[in-house]
C-alpha cells in the first residue's frame, strides 16, 4: 500500500480500466458472490462488457471492494450499469471535462428548475463514481482528485447561479449586457471558501460560500431593490444545489461563514462586509480569507472585493495586537498537552492530534504572520503554502516533504471514510473489527499495517506542529528580569511583562495578582498555603496566559479563589502539574458548576492528575473495578453512601472536564455518564438488598431487577440527567412471607424494598444527592405501586399501556438483576415491541403526543434543544415510531439508542438515506451541545447572558467557527428535522 496514490499520468489517453494501479484488499469470499449475483441480473450484453473490463489488473478487486465496503458507491454502480461501462472505458481526464461541459450546456438549454436540478445531480453522480474509481484505483494522485471535485463544485455553482440570473432577466428584473452570461457586471459575488477556495475539496464535502453584492454596480432594473433580489437569487442557487430529490443532491451548501450569520441575510452588501471586517473581523476569519476565491457571479467585482479585503488578512506589522491574534488562533486550534492523544480507533483524521487541520494551521499561521511583508506567501492551497514557506526558508525542506506526504496520506484516508456512505465524516471506526474492514478497503492486508502507517504520519505532523510553537514561552518569566508581582499596575515592567504574555488588560491583571498576594482570601489564612501560592504565582500567570482568553481566565481563577475554603493541597498539585493550569482556567471560565464542585471538594483534582485521565474513557468493567475499590473499606452504611457520592461527583467532574476540553465526543461522554450511573445502580441495588434481607429476610425464589428507561436506558446521559427506573420482582406465590426477624409479605416486601432503594440515591449527605430518581414510567405511573411483579408488568404492557408507554419501552434496558430474570424481562419487552400495529394509528398517536408536549413545554426557543420544533424530541419520536410500526416485520430495527435505530432503519430501507443523514447529523449536533449546556447552565440557556468562554466552547463542540455560525446551524438543522418529522408522521 502506497502512502499516496501513484497516479498514472504517464498513461493519459488510455482507458480507465487499463490504468488501475492498486485496489482494496479482498479477504471475504462472500464479496465475489455479491458481485457475481449482481452481474447475473444484468442483460447479457452489459454483463459481458463489464466482465471484459474486469479482466484488467486490479479492476475486479476494485469493483468487489466497492461491493463489500461501500454501500454508497455500490448503489451508484447498480443504479446504472451503462454508466459504469462508460466510465471503465473512458479517459478519465477527458471524460470529466466532457461531463462538466455537457452539464453546463444542458443547464443553459433547460426549460425549468426541475430540469436543471436533474442535470446537475446526474452529472454529480457520474463524477462521484469516476473520482472514486480514480482514487481507489490509484489512477489520480489525491490532489488531482480534490481538484476534480472542486472543478465539479465550481461548475455546479456557476451553472445554478447563471440559471437563476437568466430566469430573473426573463422576468425583466435584470438587464444583462450579455444574455448568455448574465453574471457579467451583475454585482453579485460568490466567494468559495475553505477547501473549495483552495481547490482541495474532499469527497463528501459541504461547499462553503459567502455571497456579497455591490448595490452601486449592478445590472438590475431601476425599480428593483438589490438586497431582497440578491437574497432570493442566493437562496435559489442553494436550493438547486442541495435540495434532495429522487436523483439525490449536488452539494450541501454552507453559507454560515459570512459575517455574523445569525443576524444577517445570506447575501450581504459589499460596504457592510468591508465595514465588518475592518471593525469586527476575527482571527479565524483572517485565516479563512487566505483561501477565499471568487468562483461565480461577477468575477471582476469579486477580484476587486478580495483586493479590498486583503489589508484585513495581510497585516504589514506585527504589533502586540497582531501577536495576540496569532496566540488566539493557536489556542483555539491546539488542545491541551496530553489531553488529546494520537490513536487509531475513533481518531479524527481532520481535527484530531496529528491530523489534517494541524497541517493547515501550521501553514496558515505562518502565512498570517509573514504574508503582509512577503506577498509570495499569499497562496491558497495548503501544499503550495508549504512549498513557498520552504523555498523562502520559513520552514525546512524536510518539514515540507514530511508534511506533504502526511497530508496526502491523511486526505486519502478521509476520502475513503467518506466513500463508504457519502457522509462528511473524518473519524475512523470506534472498534478494531471495523478498522480492520476499513484497512482492507484502503488496500491494506490488516489493521496492524494500516495502523503502523497512520500512527507514523500522525506523529510526524504532531512533531512539526509542536515545534512551530517551541518559542511560545519566550515572552515568559525566564527571559525577563525578576518581576515583583506585588508592585501592581503602577509597575511599568510588570505591565510590559503581562502584555508580552498576551494579556490585553495588563493593569487589571496586575491589580488582581496583587490582591491575591496581599488580600484577605480565606484560603490564604494559613501562612504556609499563602507562601506556597506566592512562590507559584509566576508559573500560575504563565499558565493562565495559555488559556484561550487569558484575561477572563484570571478573573475566573480569582472567583474560584474567593470560593475556596481549604486549598493548600490544590495549590501544591497545580504548582507541580503546571500544564493543568490552562485546563482549570477553561473549567472555571466556561462551567461555573464544575468550578463550584472543585471549590467545595478540591480532592476532585486528583482525577486530573491520574495519567488515566488522558487515555481512553474507562469501560464498564474498569468503572466497576474502581467503584468496588472505592466502597470496599467503608466502615458504615453512611460512609458507603458518602463514598458513592464522591465517586459519582468525581466521575462527573472528570467526564465534564474532558467534554469542555474537546477530548471526548458527546457519544463517548453519554456512554461514560451512563456507565457510571449503571455501575452505581448495580452497587446500590446489591447493598440495599443485603441490608434489607438482614432485617426482613428473603422470600422463596425472590428476584428483583432494575430497568433503566429514558436517557440511562438509551445510554445518552448528560451531567444533569436523573434516573428513570422501574423495579420488577417475582417470587413463589405459594410462599409469600419473608423469613427474617421482621417478616413482610409479597408486594408489601418489595414496595418497602424499593422505597429503601430510592432513599439510598436521594438522601442528602455531606456530599449531596447521588441521583434524582424518577419512577413515573412504571405501570400506571404515579397511581401504580412503586414496584411491579413481572406478571403484572407483562399484562399491563400487553393490554393497558398507551402508545406513549410503548414508545418509552423502546429504551428499556435491564441494568441490574440475575441473568435468568433479565432474560425473562427482555423477552416480555421484545414481545410487546414486536407486536403488529396499525401504522396510521401509531403515527397519529405520536404526532398528538408531540403536539401535547409542545403545548406544555413550548417549542419556539431554538436553544431548547430538546423541546424546540425540530429538536431532539422530534428525532427520538421518529426513532420510536419507526420501531413500533416496523419491529413486527423487521425486529432487527430494535435498539435502545436513537442513533443506532436510525442506522438500522436506513440499512433496512425503512428510512431514506437522505432523511437518516439529516437526523443523524442533527442528533450528533444536539448531543454535542446538550452535553456542554448541561454542564455549564443550570436553567434555560440565554445567548445574550452567556459568557464568551461558554460560547466559544459551544461553537467548538458544534464544529462552527464562532457562536453566530453555530446559531445559524442550529436554526437550519431544526428546520430540516421538523420537515422530516412532518413528512414521516403527519403525512400518514
Amino acid at each position: 500500500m502506497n502512502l499516496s496514490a501513484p497516479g498514472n499520468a504517464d498513461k493519459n489517453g488510455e482507458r480507465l480500466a487499463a490504468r488501475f494501479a492498486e485496489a482494496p484488499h479482498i479477504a471475504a469470499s462472500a464479496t465475489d458472490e455479491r458481485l457475481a449475483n449482481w452481474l447475473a441480473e444484468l442483460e447479457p450484453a452489459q454483463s459481458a462488457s463489464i466482465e471484459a473490463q474486469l479482466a484488467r489488473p486490479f479492476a475486479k478487486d476494485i469493483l468487489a471492494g466497492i461491493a463489500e465496503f461501500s454501500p454508497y458507491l455500490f448503489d451508484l454502480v447498480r443504479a446504472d450499469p451503462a454508466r459504469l461501462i462508460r466510465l471503465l472505458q473512458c479517459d478519465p481526464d477527458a471524460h470529466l471535462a466532457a461531463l462538466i461541459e455537457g452539464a453546463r450546456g444542458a443547464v443553459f438549454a433547460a426549460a425549468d428548475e426541475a430540469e436543471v436540478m436533474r442535470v446537475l445531480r446526474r452529472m454529480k453522480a457520474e463524477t462521484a463514481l469516476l473520482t472514486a474509481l480514480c482514487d481507489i484505483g490509484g489512477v489520480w494522485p489525491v490532489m488531482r482528485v480534490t481538484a476534480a471535485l472542486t472543478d465539479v463544485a465550481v461548475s455546479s455553482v456557476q451553472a445554478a447561479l447563471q440559471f437563476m440570473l437568466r430566469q430573473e432577466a426573463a422576468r425583466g428584473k435584470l438587464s444583462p449586457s450579455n444574455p448568455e452570461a448574465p453574471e457579467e457586471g451583475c454585482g453579485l459575488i460568490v466567494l468559495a471558501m475553505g477547501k473549495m477556495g483552495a481547490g482541495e475539496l474532499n469527497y463528501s464535502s459541504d461547499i462553503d460560500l459567502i455571497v456579497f453584492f455591490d448595490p452601486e454596480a449592478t445590472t438590475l432594473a431601476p425599480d428593483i431593490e438589490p438586497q431582497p433580489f440578491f437574497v432570493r437569487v442566493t437562496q435559489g442557487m442553494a436550493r438547486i444545489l442541495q435540495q434532495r430529490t429522487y436523483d439525490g443532491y449536488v452539494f450541501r451548501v454552507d453559507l454560515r461563514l459570512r459575517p455574523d450569520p445569525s443576524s444577517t441575510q445570506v447575501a450581504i452588501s459589499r460596504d457592510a462586509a468591508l465595514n465588518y471586517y475592518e471593525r469586527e473581523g476575527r482571527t479565524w476569519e483572517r485565516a479563512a480569507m487566505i483561501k477565499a476565491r471568487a468562483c461565480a457571479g461577477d468575477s471582476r467585482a469579486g477580484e476587486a472585493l478580495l483586493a479590498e479585503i486583503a489589508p484585513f488578512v495581510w497585516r504589514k506589522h506585527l504589533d502586540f495586537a497582531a501577536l495576540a491574534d496569532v496566540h488566539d488562533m493557536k489556542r483555539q486550534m491546539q488542545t491541551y498537552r496530553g489531553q488529546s492523544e494520537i490513536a487509531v480507533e475513533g481518531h479524527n483524521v481532520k481535527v484530531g492530534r496529528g491530523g489534517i487541520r494541524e497541517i493547515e494551521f501550521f501553514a496558515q499561521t505562518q502565512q498570517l504572520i509573514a504574508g503582509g511583508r512577503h506577498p509570495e506567501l499569499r497562496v491558497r492551497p495548503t501544499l503550495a503554502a508549504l512549498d513557498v514557506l520552504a523555498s523562502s526558508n520559513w520552514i525546512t525542506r524536510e518539514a515540507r516533504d514530511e508534511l506533504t506526504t502526511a497530508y496526502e496520506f491523511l486526505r486519502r484516508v478521509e476520502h475513503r471514510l467518506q466513500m463508504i456512505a457519502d457522509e462528511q465524516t473524518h473519524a475512523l471506526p470506534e472498534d478494531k473489527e471495523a478498522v480492520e474492514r476499513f484497512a482492507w478497503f484502503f488496500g491494506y492486508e490488516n489493521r496492524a499495517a494500516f495502523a503502523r502507517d497512520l500512527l507514523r504520519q500522525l506523529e510526524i505532523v504532531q512533531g512539526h506542529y509542536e515545534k512551530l510553537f517551541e518559542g511560545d514561552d519566550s515572552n515568559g518569566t525566564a527571559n525577563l528580569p525578576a518581576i515583583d508581582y506585588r508592585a501592581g499596575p503602577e509597575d511599568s515592567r510588570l505591565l510590559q511583562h503581562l502584555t508580552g504574555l498576551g494579556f490585553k488588560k495588563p493593569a487589571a491583571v496586575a491589580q488582581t495578582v496583587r490582591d491575591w498576594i496581599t488580600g484577605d482570601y480565606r484560603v490564604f489564612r494559613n501562612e504556609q498555603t499563602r507562601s506556597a501560592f506566592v512562590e507559584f504565582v509566576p508559573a500560575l500567570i504563565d499558565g493562565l496566559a495559555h488559556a484561550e482568553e487569558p484575561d477572563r481566565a484570571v478573573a475566573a481563577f480569582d472567583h474560584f479563589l474567593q470560593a475556596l475554603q481549604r486549598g493548600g493541597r490544590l495549590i501544591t498539585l497545580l504548582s507541580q502539574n503546571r500544564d493543568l493550569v490552562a485546563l482549570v482556567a477553561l473549567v472555571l471560565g466556561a462551567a461555573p458548576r464544575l468550578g463550584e464542585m472543585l471549590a467545595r471538594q478540591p480532592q476532585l483534582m486528583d482525577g486530573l492528575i491520574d495519567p488515566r485521565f488522558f487515555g481512553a474513557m474507562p469501560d464498564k468493567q474498569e468503572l466497576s473495578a474502581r467503584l468496588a475499590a472505592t466502597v470496599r473499606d467503608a466502615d458504615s452504611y453512611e460512609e458507603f453512601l458518602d463514598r458513592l457520592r464522591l465517586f459519582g461527583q468525581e466521575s462527573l467532574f472528570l467526564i465534564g472536564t474532558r467534554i469542555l476540553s474537546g477530548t471526548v465526543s458527546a457519544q463517548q461522554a453519554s456512554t461514560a455518564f451512563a456507565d457510571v450511573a449503571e455501575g452505581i445502580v448495580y452497587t446500590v441495588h446489591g447493598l440495599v438488598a443485603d441490608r434489607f434481607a438482614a432485617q426482613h429476610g428473603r422470600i422463596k425464589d425472590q428476584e428483583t431487577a432494575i430497568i433503566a428507561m429514558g436517557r440511562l436506558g438509551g445510554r445518552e446521559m448528560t451531567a444533569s440527567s436523573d434516573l428513570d427506573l422501574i423495579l420488577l420482582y417475582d417470587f413463589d406465590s405459594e410462599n409469600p412471607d419473608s423469613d427474617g426477624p421482621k417478616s413482610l409479605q409479597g408486594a408489601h416486601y418489595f414496595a418497602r424494598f424499593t422505597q429503601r432503594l430510592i432513599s439510598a440515591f436521594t438522601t442528602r449527605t455531606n456530599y449531596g444527592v447521588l441521583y434524582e430518581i424518577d419512577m413515573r414510567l412504571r405501570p400506571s405511573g404515579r397511581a401504580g405501586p412503586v414496584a411491579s411483579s413481572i406478571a403484572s408488568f407483562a399484562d399491563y404492557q400487553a393490554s393497558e399501556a398507551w402508545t406513549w408507554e410503548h414508545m418509552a419501552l423502546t429504551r428499556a434496558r435491564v441494568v441490574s438483576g440475575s441473568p435468568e430474570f433479565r432474560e425473562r424481562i427482555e423477552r416480555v419487552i421484545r414481545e410487546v415491541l414486536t407486536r403488529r400495529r396499525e401504522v396510521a394509528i401509531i403515527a397519529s398517536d405520536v404526532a398528538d403526543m408531540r403536539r401535547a408536549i409542545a403545548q406544555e413545554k413550548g417549542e419556539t426557543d431554538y436553544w431548547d434543544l430538546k423541546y424546540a420544533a425540530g429538536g431532539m424530541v422530534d428525532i427520538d419520536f421518529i426513532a420510536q415510531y419507526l420501531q413500533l410500526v416496523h419491529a413486527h416485520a423487521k425486529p432487527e430495527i430494535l435498539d435502545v439508542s436513537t442513533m443506532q435505530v436510525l442506522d438500522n432503519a436506513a440499512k433496512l430501507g425503512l428510512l431514506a438515506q437522505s432523511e437518516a443523514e439529516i437526523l443523524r447529523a442533527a442528533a450528533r449536533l444536539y448531543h454535542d451541545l446538550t452535553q456542554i449546556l448541561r454542564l455549564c447552565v443550570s436553567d434555560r440557556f440565554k445567548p445574550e447572558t452567556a459568557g464568551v468562554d461558554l460560547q466559544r466552547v459551544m461553537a467548538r463542540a458544534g464544529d462552527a467557527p464562532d457562536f453566530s455560525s453555530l446559531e445559524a446551524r442550529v436554526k437550519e438543522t431544526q428546520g430540516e428535522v421538523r420537515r422530516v418529522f412532518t413528512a414521516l408522521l403527519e403525512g400518514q
Side-chain angles (χ1 to χ4, degrees):
M1 176 69 201
N2 293 320
L3 290 184
S4 58
N8 275 334
D10 58 327
K11 294 188 177 182
N12 281 347
E14 287 195 24
R15 291 182 175 186
L16 176 59
R19 294 173 61 181
F20 290 138
E22 59 186 38
H25 178 73
I26 304 303
S29 58
T31 307
D32 290 337
E33 184 180 344
R34 185 176 295 133
L35 186 56
N37 289 343
W38 173 67
L39 289 170
E41 295 170 359
L42 302 179
E43 295 178 6
Q46 287 182 328
S47 180
S49 180
I50 294 174
E51 290 276 15
Q53 299 300 324
L54 297 188
R56 303 274 192 174
F58 301 106
K60 187 171 185 179
D61 281 353
I62 287 173
L63 205 58
I66 285 173
E68 177 68 16
F69 303 118
S70 173
Y72 167 68
L73 291 177
F74 198 43
D75 283 347
L76 289 179
V77 166
R78 290 183 296 184
D80 189 349
R83 176 172 62 198
L84 175 64
I85 295 169
R86 188 164 63 244
L87 291 178
L88 290 173
Q89 294 177 343
C90 79
D91 170 0
D93 293 275
H95 191 68
L96 177 69
L99 281 173
I100 292 173
E101 191 59 35
R104 290 178 71 92
V107 169
F108 187 80
D112 56 28
E113 185 172 304
E115 177 64 18
V116 171
M117 294 172 80
R118 189 158 50 249
V119 166
L120 291 178
R121 279 152 182 75
R122 290 179 178 177
M123 182 266 288
K124 171 63 186 304
E126 188 153 345
T127 58
L129 186 53
L130 173 64
T131 52
L133 289 169
C134 289
D135 196 337
I136 294 169
V139 176
W140 284 344
V142 67
M143 300 319 293
R144 173 69 184 102
V145 175
T146 64
L149 294 166
T150 306
D151 290 344
V152 173
V154 169
S155 177
S156 300
V157 172
Q158 290 173 346
L161 181 60
Q162 284 178 342
F163 174 79
M164 290 300 301
L165 293 174
R166 281 198 302 274
Q167 294 291 99
E168 297 296 341
R171 297 187 185 105
K173 297 184 177 182
L174 195 70
S175 304
S177 56
N178 180 0
E180 293 191 2
E183 71 276 9
E184 292 178 4
C186 72
L188 185 69
I189 301 158
V190 181
L191 297 187
M193 308 296 288
K195 287 185 167 60
M196 183 178 175
E200 302 167 341
L201 271 187
N202 55 49
Y203 188 77
S204 184
S205 183
D206 294 357
I207 55 175
D208 295 308
L209 305 175
I210 304 182
V211 181
F212 302 108
F213 63 89
D214 186 348
E216 305 302 321
T218 74
T219 53
L220 292 176
D223 60 336
I224 301 300
E225 277 291 319
Q227 177 138 31
F229 174 84
F230 287 122
V231 166
R232 187 173 67 253
V233 167
T234 301
Q235 290 169 334
M237 174 189 70
R239 181 178 63 250
I240 288 172
L241 294 172
Q242 70 180 0
Q243 183 171 303
R244 292 179 183 272
T245 70
Y246 173 81
D247 297 300
Y249 68 103
V250 190
F251 286 96
R252 298 176 294 265
V253 179
D254 193 335
L255 296 165
R256 295 184 302 240
L257 289 183
R258 67 186 185 274
D260 196 11
S262 66
S263 59
T264 56
Q265 299 276 15
V266 292
I268 301 175
S269 75
R270 167 188 164 280
D271 288 346
L274 291 173
N275 185 49
Y276 170 85
Y277 288 125
E278 181 181 339
R279 289 173 46 247
E280 300 180 48
R282 287 153 294 179
T283 303
W284 73 262
E285 289 169 309
R286 290 180 61 203
M289 279 294 170
I290 291 176
K291 295 180 182 288
R293 173 163 61 114
C295 74
D298 190 335
S299 58
R300 286 188 180 178
E303 293 302 327
L305 177 64
L306 286 173
E308 289 188 89
I309 292 175
F312 159 69
V313 182
W314 309 111
R315 306 286 172 83
K316 290 296 182 184
H317 304 287
L318 276 180
D319 56 15
F320 275 127
L323 188 58
D325 282 345
V326 175
H327 274 278
D328 286 345
M329 186 174 175
K330 178 205 167 187
R331 290 179 188 113
Q332 290 187 28
M333 290 297 306
Q334 185 183 39
T335 50
Y336 297 95
R337 190 180 310 165
Q339 276 191 282
S340 187
E341 296 298 316
I342 284 175
V344 178
E345 279 72 35
H347 195 71
N348 190 309
V349 298
K350 178 181 178 182
V351 299
R353 289 312 299 259
I356 295 165
R357 185 63 60 82
E358 288 192 357
I359 301 173
E360 293 170 340
F361 181 69
F362 179 92
Q364 287 176 343
T365 301
Q366 295 178 91
Q367 287 179 281
L368 283 179
I369 291 171
R373 294 183 179 179
H374 300 275
E376 68 274 12
L377 294 177
R378 303 176 192 179
V379 294
R380 296 184 181 100
T382 300
L383 297 186
L386 292 174
D387 200 42
V388 175
L389 286 167
S391 62
S392 304
N393 294 320
W394 287 91
I395 64 174
T396 66
R397 283 172 168 73
E398 180 186 19
R400 174 200 60 193
D401 294 344
E402 289 184 345
L403 289 173
T404 297
T405 298
Y407 185 78
E408 291 174 342
F409 176 75
L410 293 172
R411 290 301 304 270
R412 295 196 74 211
V413 173
E414 177 184 54
H415 283 187
R416 207 63 56 96
L417 285 167
Q418 294 176 349
M419 286 176 193
I420 295 171
D422 188 31
E423 291 182 337
Q424 193 183 17
T425 182
H426 311 277
L428 287 160
E430 295 282 351
D431 60 87
K432 289 187 176 182
E433 291 77 12
V435 172
E436 177 98 356
R437 283 179 55 80
F438 176 78
W440 293 339
F441 188 30
F442 200 32
Y444 284 89
E445 290 188 4
N446 52 50
R447 175 199 172 278
F450 167 65
R452 183 175 59 249
D453 283 352
L454 174 69
L455 293 173
R456 182 167 66 247
Q457 296 305 317
L458 295 174
E459 287 163 0
I460 287 170
V461 174
Q462 186 181 27
H464 286 295
Y465 181 76
E466 289 177 343
K467 284 179 187 176
L468 177 61
F469 292 101
E470 268 182 354
D472 262 11
D473 291 331
S474 61
N475 289 324
T477 55
N479 290 345
L480 283 173
I483 298 297
D484 181 6
Y485 283 93
R486 300 171 189 267
E490 296 80 17
D491 189 324
S492 60
R493 292 168 69 221
L494 175 57
L495 297 183
Q496 180 186 1
H497 172 59
L498 294 172
T499 302
L501 286 175
F503 292 100
K504 295 176 181 176
K505 298 177 180 177
V509 173
Q511 182 60 54
T512 300
V513 175
R514 181 162 65 183
D515 290 344
W516 291 347
I517 295 173
T518 63
D520 185 25
Y521 288 72
R522 181 168 43 191
V523 66
F524 297 140
R525 289 175 184 172
N526 180 302
E527 194 56 41
Q528 190 174 357
T529 300
R530 181 185 293 276
S531 298
F533 180 76
V534 169
E535 188 177 337
F536 173 49
V537 161
L540 173 63
I541 292 300
D542 186 65
L544 294 174
H546 284 74
E548 289 189 8
E549 283 280 343
D551 298 85
R552 290 181 181 277
V554 169
F557 199 84
D558 180 57
H559 179 74
F560 171 66
L561 285 178
Q562 291 179 39
L564 197 60
Q565 298 187 30
R566 56 189 194 285
R569 186 166 174 274
L570 179 62
I571 298 301
T572 302
L573 283 175
L574 285 174
S575 65
Q576 292 175 354
N577 298 272
R578 296 177 182 180
D579 290 343
L580 293 180
V581 172
L583 174 59
V584 172
L586 170 68
V587 171
L588 299 178
R593 178 182 176 190
L594 293 184
E596 289 167 6
M597 287 176 61
L598 189 59
R600 287 195 308 269
Q601 307 292 343
Q603 64 268 40
L604 295 176
M605 183 66 77
D606 292 355
L608 300 183
I609 309 303
D610 189 334
R612 292 176 298 183
F613 174 76
F614 300 116
M617 295 296 290
D619 57 19
K620 273 199 289 191
Q621 186 175 357
E622 185 178 347
L623 278 170
S624 296
R626 293 188 194 180
L627 180 54
T630 299
V631 300
R632 185 175 296 128
D633 301 326
D635 294 328
S636 64
Y637 182 62
E638 289 70 25
E639 186 180 354
F640 174 87
L641 294 181
D642 277 345
R643 290 192 181 191
L644 271 180
R645 282 153 175 73
L646 188 57
F647 177 85
Q649 288 181 13
E650 182 174 294
S651 299
L652 186 153
F653 180 78
L654 297 181
I655 299 168
T657 303
R658 294 197 64 171
I659 292 171
L660 289 179
S661 62
T663 58
V664 294
S665 67
Q667 182 57 55
Q668 290 171 316
S670 297
T671 302
F673 280 130
D675 285 346
V676 169
E678 190 172 333
I680 289 175
V681 168
Y682 179 85
T683 302
V684 170
H685 184 199
L687 180 82
V688 172
D690 289 344
R691 287 179 59 84
F692 194 77
Q695 188 174 9
H696 299 287
R698 299 182 189 273
I699 300 176
K700 185 180 180 183
D701 296 336
Q702 79 169 53
E703 294 273 12
T704 57
I706 298 177
I707 303 177
M709 308 289 284
R711 293 298 173 199
L712 175 56
R715 295 169 68 81
E716 295 170 353
M717 287 185 67
T718 68
S720 62
S721 296
D722 55 14
L723 304 186
D724 294 301
L725 304 177
I726 296 175
L727 189 131
L728 297 186
Y729 62 84
D730 197 16
F731 61 94
D732 180 359
S733 59
E734 300 295 323
N735 297 279
D737 295 324
S738 66
D739 57 11
K742 296 182 178 179
S743 180
L744 296 171
Q745 189 178 61
H748 185 52
Y749 177 96
F750 294 105
R752 289 276 298 274
F753 169 72
T754 304
Q755 289 164 347
R756 189 77 59 87
L757 190 71
I758 294 171
S759 176
F761 285 105
T762 58
T763 298
R764 184 171 296 278
T765 75
N766 294 331
Y767 293 93
V769 170
L770 194 49
Y771 288 103
E772 296 295 343
I773 302 297
D774 190 338
M775 303 194 79
R776 288 175 294 179
L777 292 178
R778 66 186 186 269
S780 301
R782 288 194 179 96
V786 292
S788 302
S789 71
I790 186 172
S792 65
F793 176 79
D795 289 345
Y796 180 85
Q797 294 293 343
S799 58
E800 297 182 50
W802 298 80
T803 297
W804 71 263
E805 292 176 288
H806 287 168
M807 291 165 65
L809 201 62
T810 62
R811 297 185 145 210
R813 186 166 61 88
V814 181
V815 293
S816 185
S818 71
E820 297 79 12
F821 197 39
R822 178 191 299 259
E823 189 176 332
R824 289 173 60 195
I825 294 169
E826 289 172 346
R827 190 161 54 245
V828 169
I829 293 170
R830 191 171 184 85
E831 287 172 0
V832 172
L833 295 180
T834 54
R835 178 197 308 168
R836 187 187 297 277
R837 292 175 170 86
E838 287 292 330
V839 173
I841 292 174
I842 299 302
S844 175
D845 286 351
V846 175
D848 287 347
M849 181 71 178
R850 183 66 186 96
R851 281 190 286 271
I853 290 175
Q855 194 166 8
E856 179 186 351
K857 303 286 188 181
E859 63 174 2
T860 57
D861 178 5
Y862 56 87
W863 280 115
D864 188 348
L865 299 174
K866 181 176 180 180
Y867 293 115
M872 197 62 218
V873 167
D874 282 26
I875 300 174
D876 287 337
F877 276 23
I878 288 170
Q880 292 160 8
Y881 160 78
L882 290 172
Q883 291 179 90
L884 293 184
V885 300
H886 294 299
H888 176 75
K890 304 275 189 182
E892 56 268 41
I893 192 177
L894 293 174
D895 201 278
V896 295
S897 162
T898 294
M899 291 287 281
Q900 189 60 53
V901 171
L902 297 175
D903 283 345
N904 295 347
K907 289 173 184 173
L908 294 168
L910 306 175
L911 181 66
Q913 285 289 349
S914 59
E915 293 177 338
E917 184 180 334
I918 288 169
L919 297 175
R920 285 192 298 245
R924 282 192 293 268
L925 175 65
Y926 297 159
H927 284 321
D928 288 340
L929 297 179
T930 299
Q931 289 290 3
I932 299 291
L933 290 174
R934 293 295 180 269
L935 274 176
C936 304
V937 179
S938 56
D939 201 354
R940 281 184 178 270
F941 174 67
K942 297 177 182 177
E944 62 274 13
T945 59
V948 173
D949 287 335
L950 176 55
Q951 289 190 358
R952 181 179 287 111
V953 170
M954 287 181 65
R956 182 189 297 145
D959 196 23
D962 64 3
F963 187 77
S964 179
S965 301
L966 175 66
E967 202 163 25
R969 183 184 175 195
V970 168
K971 293 177 183 177
E972 180 183 315
T973 299
Q974 289 173 348
E976 291 178 337
V977 171
R978 178 46 65 97
R979 178 180 60 76
V980 174
F981 181 89
T982 302
L984 279 175
L985 285 130
E986 297 181 5
Q988 292 294 335

